[in-house]
Amino acid sequence: MRGLYSIPLRGLKEGSHLFEFNIDSKLFAFFEESEIHEAALTATVTVLRHSSHIEMKIVISGTVSLTCDRCLELYTQGVNTDNSILVKFGDQWEEVDDEVLIMPGGENEFILDQLIYEFAHLGLPLKKVHPDDENGRSTCNPEMLEKLNQHMVKENKGKNGPYMEEFAKLKNINNQN
């Protein structure tokens, strides 16, 4: 399978090599579960080729379009990641751990698509929401925020709140038996 982003290994001499890739939405469209809708990213890959292995440093920066967890509209999120991976040569493809891969020694290219996808997603925040404006107010869709506020459950912390009344009824039933 030919990837969108790959590093040619045939003829790549020992030493340091620099590759730069412009990443757009095409890559993320191949992955159904992708949280990234649109992308304007740059992946800078530094390859240090040795006779027995390859060291790669992959720096991804730029912006992506995500769905806001709060209002469900798209917003722009900055991404900046810095990851390293060690590729050893062996008999077959194997992922040893998050930082070490084994690839067959006769491969002509190293396809970066999966790694770029994973590293870009690792650079996303856990909570994906529109950033606040300069006054500290949410930039989410105001209509959606109003609907959320209407459906928000107000917590009653008093002793005689609805949960305490129900608990008292259950306790009373238990005491009658």
Side-chain angles (χ1 to χ4, degrees), residues 3-75:
L4 293 174
Y5 309 99
S6 64
I7 295 173
L9 297 177
R10 182 174 288 201
L12 189 66
K13 297 189 183 318
E14 287 189 29
S16 183
H17 306 273
L18 187 65
F19 298 88
E20 190 168 286
F21 302 96
N22 292 318
I23 313 299
D24 58 21
S25 305
K26 292 175 194 163
L27 173 70
F28 300 100
F30 285 115
F31 299 90
E32 281 183 33
E33 65 280 358
S34 179
E35 295 182 57
I36 297 173
H37 301 285
E38 296 175 18
L41 300 170
T42 300
T44 304
V45 183
T46 305
V47 175
L48 188 55
R49 173 83 188 236
H50 301 276
S51 60
S52 62
H53 65 280
I54 298 171
E55 297 173 46
M56 283 190 213
K57 179 178 180 179
I58 303 171
V59 176
I60 300 172
S61 60
T63 59
V64 296
S65 179
L66 302 173
T67 301
C68 177
D69 291 340
R70 188 183 298 144
C71 72
L72 304 178
E73 289 193 1
L74 293 179
Y75 78 100

Side-chain angles (χ1 to χ4, degrees), residues 70-71 73 129-134 137-142 145:
R70 188 183 298 144
C71 72
E73 289 193 1
V129 295
H130 282 89
D132 291 342
D133 66 13
E134 60 276 353
R137 290 183 294 236
S138 174
T139 57
C140 283
N141 178 326
L145 291 179

